[in-house]
Amino acid sequence: MVRVSEAGSPRPGTREDGTHDDDDASLAEFGYKPELKRTLGNFHTFAAGISYISILTGTFQLFYFGITHGGPAYWWSWPMVFCGQLMVALCFCELAARYPVAGSIYNWAKRMGGPHVGWLGGWMMLTATMVSLAAVALAYQVTLPQISSWFQFIGNGSGRTDAAANAVLLGSILILFTTLVNAFGVKLMARINSAGVAIELIAAIVLIILLAAHITRGPSAVTKTFGLGAGQSLGYFGAFLTASLASAYVMYGFDTASSLGEESKDPGRNAPRAILRALTASFLIGGLILLFALLAVPDLHAKELSVDGLQYVVLSTLGSTVGQIVLWCVVIAITVCELAVHTAGIRLAFAMARDNNLPAASLLAKVSPRFQTPVLPAIIIGLVGVAILLINVNQPQIFSVITSIAIIMIYLAYLMVTVPMLVQRLRGRWTPAEGTFSLGRFGLPVNILAVLWGLAMSLNLAWPRAAVYNATGPQHWYLRWGAFLFIGIVAGGGFLYYWCVQRKRTGVLEGHAAGS
């Protein structure tokens, strides 16, 4: 069997196993030798991207937030965020075609902006991934107790900190599972991930059909604002910006498809396709789920919408039996999403360690000869994720705060790629890979829009809103400004360490360098 190009002819140099002579060419440009086994095909790379985005996870975890702060009209933030993220994704597609390497954000930032920008981008993304691991794990609490009260192990759910403490317990169990799966190799991870994504996609399509069959009102429902924003300086626009975070929290992570580039077959062609397919499919499926949920729910003014979100819509609209089947599919989606986040973090840690850009780099960059994967990063990232949960065990605001900080850091890490890439374009130094994905003359305007979008949404995400960072309890300035404080400490402290210590050690480790 040979790989056939889109033109229908065999791609020259294609081997029997589907890999290509040029698959490792980009590694040589970075000074690396190939170490990770190429076993992932088209669907595996697509599944990695779409499972990180994980429509069922994001919509079921955050629908309540959007409806609470923006009413049904918050739905329009979904296409808005998609258009902005599409600009970023298109830039990433060019980079994925040119440089399909592990730890894509880190290596792209390094290639576009130099070693200092690369380190900061990688550090922000790595930290964000570990925080995201904790944030996604919290989604178990939003769904499992809705299926059965048996899953509320701590208290009965009515106590002030019952939900947060139980979320930490359930989340820790999930992180333990993803740690073990990732430690046992990419093949096992890919099989579980692909099976989970297949179930998620089928469940999502069935859910769309079922909700569409129960529509009780017309499309005008998505224009209702419920008077939110009245009396505020920005009116409903201010409320909409807050509600839009529910969409911004979902549509990211599509770069994961390229982060597995060193383990994929023909990554220069497959990774750009996987990025676009994952983002587009997520937009269409997620948009329809949200739309039909708003049109089918028995009562748009029900208080449960602002508490239980989509879980309430599914159970009240489809009934207990069908609703619980759907919710079990959501649990599967959360599981594979967590698996994808963990996998992406491992590849990023491996990429940075290979350049001797992390403490104990030689250990972190070691690939297990048996499992063909970096095992130590899987364990450490898992432990950090659990630690983040434990620190917040009695914090009822854990859901919105952890999620917000993680997403902001990822948006900033994306800017560490798109801004230097724009500089390269303006200087005439950017050349897309020949014969693969290219934006052509649209590259510059798309890149400009990607940067402007990233800056605007990062500011919107970090804005010191009480609704996000201090929703309950007494108001504290350090909670309201938590995003700026936490990210400032992580970025400033991390870069200070890099500049004073790690910068002097940077260089491809012996044993990982090309020709070694």
Side-chain angles (χ1 to χ4, degrees), residues 386-446:
V386 171
I388 292 171
L389 290 177
L390 291 175
I391 290 171
N392 293 277
V393 68
N394 289 319
Q395 297 296 325
Q397 301 174 104
I398 184 174
F399 300 96
S400 59
V401 173
I402 286 186
T403 303
S404 299
I405 290 174
I407 308 309
I408 298 165
M409 294 177 71
I410 290 174
Y411 273 71
L412 291 174
Y414 284 0
L415 280 169
M416 297 288 180
V417 175
T418 55
V419 171
M421 188 180 191
L422 178 58
V423 173
Q424 293 290 337
R425 287 187 194 277
L426 292 173
R427 292 177 176 175
R429 295 178 181 175
W430 169 246
T431 305
E434 294 184 7
T436 55
F437 187 92
S438 173
L439 292 173
R441 66 179 181 275
F442 296 106
L444 181 59
V446 165

Side-chain angles (χ1 to χ4, degrees), residues 83 174 204 366 459 478:
C83 291
L174 176 57
K366 186 177 181 180
L459 182 60
Y478 52 84

Side-chain angles (χ1 to χ4, degrees), residues 116 119 493-504:
H116 308 327
W119 189 91
F495 194 77
L496 181 64
Y497 162 78
Y498 163 76
W499 191 260
C500 297
V501 180
Q502 207 66 46
R503 175 176 62 99
K504 303 169 185 177

Side-chain angles (χ1 to χ4, degrees), residues 5-30:
S5 68
E6 289 185 332
S9 57
R11 189 179 172 202
T14 307
R15 307 186 190 107
E16 291 295 321
D17 63 358
T19 61
H20 188 267
D21 293 335
D22 294 333
D23 283 349
D24 298 327
S26 58
L27 292 181
E29 288 191 53
F30 284 86

Side-chain angles (χ1 to χ4, degrees), residues 337-357:
C337 176
E338 185 80 343
L339 190 59
V341 173
H342 205 153
T343 301
I346 293 166
R347 272 58 192 173
L348 181 56
F350 167 77
M352 294 186 71
R354 181 169 54 182
D355 279 349
N356 200 22
N357 263 331

Side-chain angles (χ1 to χ4, degrees), residues 32-262:
Y32 308 138
K33 71 176 184 180
E35 296 177 84
L36 304 176
K37 192 173 181 181
R38 295 191 183 278
T39 58
L40 306 182
N42 273 340
F43 186 76
H44 292 131
T45 52
F46 164 74
I50 203 166
S51 62
Y52 198 122
I53 298 173
S54 191
I55 286 306
L56 290 184
T57 301
T59 54
F60 274 78
Q61 188 178 17
L62 295 160
F63 177 83
Y64 84 94
F65 184 90
I67 202 75
T68 298
H69 298 288
Y74 109 88
W75 182 87
W76 294 100
S77 67
W78 191 259
M80 178 192 77
V81 171
F82 168 72
C83 291
Q85 291 295 75
L86 179 60
M87 299 300 103
V88 179
L90 289 170
C91 292
F92 284 4
C93 284
E94 277 199 328
L95 287 161
R98 185 74 178 82
Y99 305 117
V101 294
S104 50
I105 295 298
Y106 160 70
N107 274 311
W108 293 345
K110 180 180 71 175
R111 196 72 175 181
M112 295 293 101
H116 308 327
V117 174
W119 189 91
L120 185 58
W123 173 246
M124 294 288 282
M125 193 69 184
L126 182 59
T127 308
T129 298
M130 292 186 285
V131 178
S132 292
L133 197 68
V136 174
L138 293 172
Y140 261 9
Q141 177 63 24
V142 183
T143 303
L144 284 173
Q146 292 287 327
I147 296 174
S148 171
S149 59
W150 185 85
F151 291 106
Q152 184 65 43
F153 298 108
I154 299 177
N156 58 11
S158 61
R160 182 174 178 270
T161 61
D162 283 0
N166 199 67
V168 170
L169 175 60
L170 294 175
S172 298
I173 294 171
L174 176 57
I175 292 175
L176 174 62
F177 169 75
T178 60
T179 300
L180 291 173
V181 171
N182 273 297
F184 279 106
V186 71
K187 275 191 175 181
L188 177 61
M189 180 280 298
R191 286 171 183 165
I192 295 175
N193 193 55
S194 296
V197 165
I199 293 172
E200 179 178 5
L201 291 176
I202 292 170
I205 293 170
V206 170
L207 177 59
I208 290 170
I209 295 171
L210 292 175
L211 289 173
H214 288 79
I215 287 177
T216 60
R217 60 185 62 84
S220 62
V222 295
T223 63
K224 298 183 182 298
T225 64
F226 291 167
L228 293 166
Q232 297 181 15
S233 57
L234 295 178
Y236 181 72
F237 180 65
F240 179 80
L241 287 178
T242 301
S244 70
L245 303 190
S247 298
Y249 289 163
V250 180
M251 279 187 274
Y252 70 96
F254 37 81
D255 57 289
T256 306
S258 58
S259 196
L260 293 170
E262 292 182 38

